[in-house]
């Protein structure tokens, strides 16, 4: 899962006492689309991310899980060292 954005939509909905149907109505998409977002099977567009943040009054940073990377240099650092 490293490098993949993981959205916290399902947990944010639970925190706000809402369900997929509620968010679908607020954002203007189908319940199926919201379900895919909640399961991280697809990602919302930038426009829909904005709508989700507005509807829930959360920052984009709150919407995306903070992934912790392993200690040590990044792949980019290793590439630069090998040049």
């Amino acid at each position: 899962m490293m490098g993949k954005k993981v959205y916290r939509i399902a947990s944010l909905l639970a925190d706000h006492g809402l369900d997929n149907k509620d968010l679908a109505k607020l954002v203007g998409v189908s319940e199926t689309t919201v379900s895919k977002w909640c399961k991280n099977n697809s990602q919302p567009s930038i426009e829909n991310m904005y709508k989700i943040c507005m509807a829930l009054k959360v920052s984009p940073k709150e919407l995306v899980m903070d992934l912790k990377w392993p200690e040590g240099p990044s792949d980019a650092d290793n590439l630069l060292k090998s040049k």
Side-chain angles (χ1 to χ4, degrees), residues 7-76:
Y7 292 90
R8 300 183 53 244
I9 296 170
S11 62
L12 288 171
L13 286 177
D15 291 348
H16 286 82
L18 300 171
D19 61 22
N20 292 6
K21 184 177 182 179
D22 297 322
L23 185 61
K25 184 176 181 180
L26 290 168
V27 177
V29 298
S30 71
E31 288 179 57
T32 303
T33 297
V34 174
S35 177
K36 289 178 183 178
W37 294 343
C38 288
K39 294 176 184 175
N40 283 297
N41 291 334
S42 69
Q43 298 175 354
S45 66
I46 297 295
E47 179 182 350
N48 284 331
M49 281 182 57
Y50 178 79
K51 289 178 182 180
I52 294 165
C53 290
M54 289 291 293
L56 301 179
K57 287 198 169 187
V58 297
S59 72
K61 188 174 182 176
E62 290 175 272
L63 188 63
V64 181
M65 181 195 301
D66 184 20
L67 298 177
K68 300 295 181 199
W69 299 108
E71 293 293 321
S74 69
D75 291 343

